[in-house]
Amino acid sequence: MAAALAGEQDSQAVSVTREGTPAARSAGTPASDDDAPQAEAPGRSGRSGSRSRRGRDRGARATGRYVMCVHVESEATQIAVLEGRALVEHYVARPQDDAHQIVGNIYRGRVKNVLPGMEAAFVDIGTPKNAVLYWGDVSYDRDEIDRQQGADRIEHLLRPGQTIVCQVTKNPIGLKGARLTQEVSLPGRFVVLVPDSSTYGISRRLDDNERKRLRRVLDEVRPEGHGLIVRTAAQGAAAEDLRRDVLQLVARWEEIDERARRLPAPALLYSEPHMAVRIIREELTEEHRAVLIDDPELYEIVRDYVAEFEPQLAERIELYDTTTEPLPLFERQHVHEQLHKALDRKVWLPSGGSLIIERTEALTVIDVNTGKNVGSSSLEETVFENNLEAADEIARQLRLRDIGGIIVIDFIDMEIKSNRQAVVSAFKAALARDKTPTQVFDISELGLVEMTRKRVGEGLVETLSETCPMCSGRGIVFREGPAA
C-alpha cells in the first residue's frame, strides 16, 4: 500500500505509476480503503487558492477557519481542533499508549506463522500482540514471480522465521493486532518518500497548473531508486523547499536501512515524532489561524519545526502562558464543555431536533428526530430542514468521536425525491472536510443511509472512558433474586 502512512490521513487519492505490488487487494482490506496510494493528510480541504490569498493577515492578526489547541499534562497530551468555535477533532497521547499508538512506525519483524486460508501472515514486531500482514500488502518483484504459476500466494512469498522490514498502517484495536505493509513510506512536509519503489504521484487536490509545475520540479528532485508522492502542502512551495525535504527523507531512510541490517528482529527501526509535531506536520495549513500550546518546552519544539519547513506560518505558533492567563487553555476555548457533550448519546440540533448515537460491536446506528422542532410551514419542509441540520452535525460528530466501521443513519422520512437527494448531497459535502476515507450510499427504500468510515483509532468514548466493572459495559444491572 504505497504511501501507507499518508494514506491513513487523506481521503483523496493521487495519480501514480508504480510497479512490483499486487494488483488486487486481500479480503482483509477495508471497504473504504482505495487500492491506489493516498496523497497525504493536508488537513481539511487542503490549500485551495494561492498562498498570497490564503491566510493573509488582517492588520496584525492572521486569519483562518481553524484553531489548534495543545494542552500538556504529566499523564497526557491533548490536541483539540476548532472550526470557528466548534470542536471538530480531538487527539490524546499518553506515555502508556506507546505500545498501541504506533501508526507510521517502522520495524524489523519476524514472521511467526502464515495462514493461506486468510491470505495473511502474523508478524512479531515486539508489541504485545502479533501484527497482521495481508497478501495485498506484501511487496515482491512481479516480473520474477509471474514466471512461476501460483508463486504469488502468500505461503510462497513468506515463511515462518523470515525477517522483514514493515510499517504499521493501523493501530491495534481491541483484540486485533496492528496492521502492516511492506511498502514503507516516510512522510515529510511537502513529499512522501517511498523507498525502493517506482511510485510517482501528485495529490489530486491540486489544480492542473500546479500539478504541471510540481511535475517538473519532481523530475529534478526525485532521488534515484526511490518513489515520491507530492503532498497538497507543496502547493506554492519552491523547488529548493522540496529538494531539502527530499534530502532529509533520504538521509532518514539510510539511517533506517542501516539499523535494519544491524539489529536483530524484532526491533523498532523508526518511530513517529511527538503527536503534536506529527499532527501539525499533517494538518497545519494557512487555513489555521493559530496553534496555541500551553507547554513552553513543546512550544519551542513545534515552533522550531514549523520555522524550518513553513517559515511564514511560524508566527502562528503561540505560547499560551498559564501563569498570566486567568483560565486554562481548554476552558478558555470551551473544549472541555464540548468534549463532555460529545460523550453523550443524545446530540441536540440548533432548531430543536436531536440525534441518538448508539455504538455496537458490528456497527454504529444514528437516529434523527425532530424533537422540539415543530417548524412553521409544512411537515415536509420541517423534516427536510431538520435532516439538513442533522447531515452537517452527523459529519462533525463522526470526526469528533472518531467513529469508524459500518454506520447506518435513520433520517426522518421525506416524501419528495429531490429533498432526499439534497440531504445526501449535503451530507457528502460535509464529509468532504473529513480527512478519513468514507463511502456513502444513497437513501435506501427503508429510508436509511448506509456508509463506511475507515477505522483508524479506538474512538473518543473509548479513549476517555473505562468499561464499567458492575455491568461490563452493558449499561444495566441485573436484579438479584427471582424475577419480579
Side-chain angles (χ1 to χ4, degrees):
M1 186 160 59
L5 174 62
E8 293 284 4
Q9 324 233 357
D10 191 3
S11 60
Q12 296 292 331
V14 297
S15 173
V16 298
T17 302
R18 61 177 181 172
E19 301 171 359
T21 55
R25 281 290 169 208
S26 69
T29 303
S32 61
D33 195 10
D34 296 328
D35 285 346
Q38 311 239 324
E40 43 96 30
R44 328 297 163 312
S45 58
R47 300 188 180 192
S48 56
S50 66
R51 287 179 178 245
S52 60
R53 294 180 58 190
R54 283 283 178 176
R56 59 189 174 192
D57 292 345
R58 183 179 298 135
R61 189 169 182 81
T63 61
R65 65 189 300 183
Y66 298 103
V67 173
M68 191 180 297
C69 302
V70 183
H71 174 49
V72 180
E73 296 177 325
S74 58
E75 63 274 11
T77 297
Q78 299 186 62
I79 298 180
V81 180
L82 301 169
E83 184 176 356
R85 295 184 178 182
L87 179 64
V88 293
E89 292 179 8
H90 179 262
Y91 307 89
V92 180
R94 300 182 178 91
Q96 62 268 31
D97 291 340
D98 288 347
H100 305 287
Q101 303 298 323
I102 57 176
V103 165
N105 288 3
I106 300 174
Y107 295 87
R108 187 183 186 199
R110 186 179 300 277
V111 178
K112 299 299 290 184
N113 48 22
V114 180
L115 305 179
M118 297 290 293
E119 292 189 346
F122 287 95
V123 182
D124 179 12
I125 58 173
T127 54
K129 295 179 182 176
N130 289 337
V132 61
L133 174 65
Y134 288 103
W135 173 84
D137 296 317
V138 176
S139 180
Y140 61 88
D141 187 335
R142 178 176 298 277
D143 292 336
E144 181 177 333
I145 291 296
D146 284 347
R147 299 194 188 103
Q148 307 174 36
Q149 186 175 2
D152 62 346
R153 292 181 58 83
I154 192 166
E155 63 267 31
H156 298 146
L157 299 175
L158 299 174
R159 64 184 185 278
Q162 179 180 348
T163 59
I164 60 173
V165 175
C166 50
Q167 185 173 33
V168 177
T169 61
K170 192 173 183 180
N171 284 323
I173 300 176
L175 300 177
K176 298 179 180 179
R179 180 167 176 174
L180 303 175
T181 180
Q182 275 190 284
E183 190 162 353
V184 172
S185 61
L186 292 174
R189 176 59 181 161
F190 303 116
V191 300
V192 176
L193 179 73
V194 188
D196 303 325
S197 170
S198 59
T199 298
Y200 179 96
I202 299 175
S203 171
R204 289 179 181 170
R205 290 179 180 267
L206 301 173
D207 60 51
D208 290 341
N209 291 333
E210 182 65 6
R211 286 166 60 84
K212 291 179 182 178
R213 183 189 74 86
L214 288 172
R215 188 170 289 111
R216 292 192 296 270
V217 175
L218 191 60
D219 291 338
E220 298 176 5
V221 304
R222 184 179 180 183
E224 184 177 355
H226 301 308
L228 279 182
I229 293 177
V230 179
R231 314 182 68 168
T232 309
Q235 178 169 329
E240 187 57 34
D241 294 333
L242 272 69
R243 181 176 288 105
R244 182 174 64 249
D245 207 18
V246 169
L247 291 176
Q248 290 177 339
L249 292 175
V250 170
R252 185 180 303 165
W253 170 247
E254 290 174 352
E255 293 176 3
I256 294 171
D257 190 44
E258 188 274 331
R259 287 172 59 86
R261 300 174 188 276
R262 175 169 49 87
L263 297 178
L268 174 64
L269 306 178
Y270 166 78
S271 62
E272 281 285 83
H274 189 282
M275 183 183 68
V277 176
R278 186 171 69 250
I279 296 299
I280 287 172
R281 179 190 67 198
E282 307 296 343
E283 304 274 342
L284 184 63
T285 68
E286 289 170 346
E287 289 192 339
H288 284 77
R289 186 168 66 253
V291 177
L292 306 176
I293 304 174
D294 63 6
D295 180 75
E297 182 178 350
L298 183 58
Y299 162 76
E300 294 293 341
I301 294 173
V302 172
R303 185 177 175 86
D304 290 345
Y305 175 83
V306 176
E308 181 179 359
F309 290 99
E310 289 273 16
Q312 70 274 20
L313 297 181
E315 62 182 12
R316 305 191 189 191
I317 312 300
E318 302 177 15
L319 176 64
Y320 187 87
D321 192 348
T322 55
T323 62
T324 59
E325 295 289 344
L327 293 174
L329 175 58
F330 271 25
E331 287 189 28
R332 178 70 175 270
Q333 300 293 333
H334 305 287
V335 173
H336 279 315
E337 175 185 345
Q338 297 186 64
L339 277 177
H340 284 297
K341 290 182 179 179
L343 299 176
D344 289 341
R345 296 174 58 244
K346 193 169 191 175
V347 179
W348 288 102
L349 301 175
S351 63
S354 65
L355 308 175
I356 302 295
I357 302 176
E358 294 282 4
R359 299 188 64 179
T360 69
E361 183 70 22
L363 52 82
T364 299
V365 179
I366 303 177
D367 186 32
V368 181
N369 301 303
T370 53
K372 302 175 183 178
N373 182 8
V374 296
S376 58
S377 55
S378 65
L379 176 60
E380 179 72 15
E381 186 67 21
T382 301
V383 169
F384 176 55
E385 292 179 356
N386 193 89
N387 282 340
L388 286 177
E389 283 187 355
D392 189 68
E393 184 61 27
I394 289 171
R396 187 178 80 90
Q397 291 294 328
L398 294 179
R399 293 170 64 192
L400 175 56
R401 299 179 186 225
D402 196 16
I403 298 175
I406 300 173
I407 302 161
V408 177
I409 305 167
D410 185 10
F411 285 103
I412 305 170
D413 292 339
M414 294 170 285
E415 298 293 335
I416 301 176
K417 183 178 180 180
S418 61
N419 287 348
R420 296 196 295 269
Q421 293 173 341
V423 168
V424 174
S425 297
F427 183 46
K428 291 180 178 179
L431 285 173
R433 300 193 295 269
D434 187 356
K435 66 183 179 295
T436 302
T438 57
Q439 186 176 14
V440 181
F441 298 93
D442 291 333
I443 295 180
S444 69
E445 294 181 0
L446 293 176
L448 305 176
V449 171
E450 300 169 356
M451 66 168 291
T452 61
R453 185 175 185 271
K454 189 169 184 179
R455 193 187 300 273
V456 178
E458 286 187 318
L460 181 69
V461 174
E462 288 76 9
T463 301
L464 299 180
S465 66
E466 296 179 358
T467 302
C468 174
M470 297 297 295
C471 67
S472 300
R474 295 190 63 185
I476 57 176
V477 178
F478 292 102
R479 295 190 182 96
E480 296 182 3

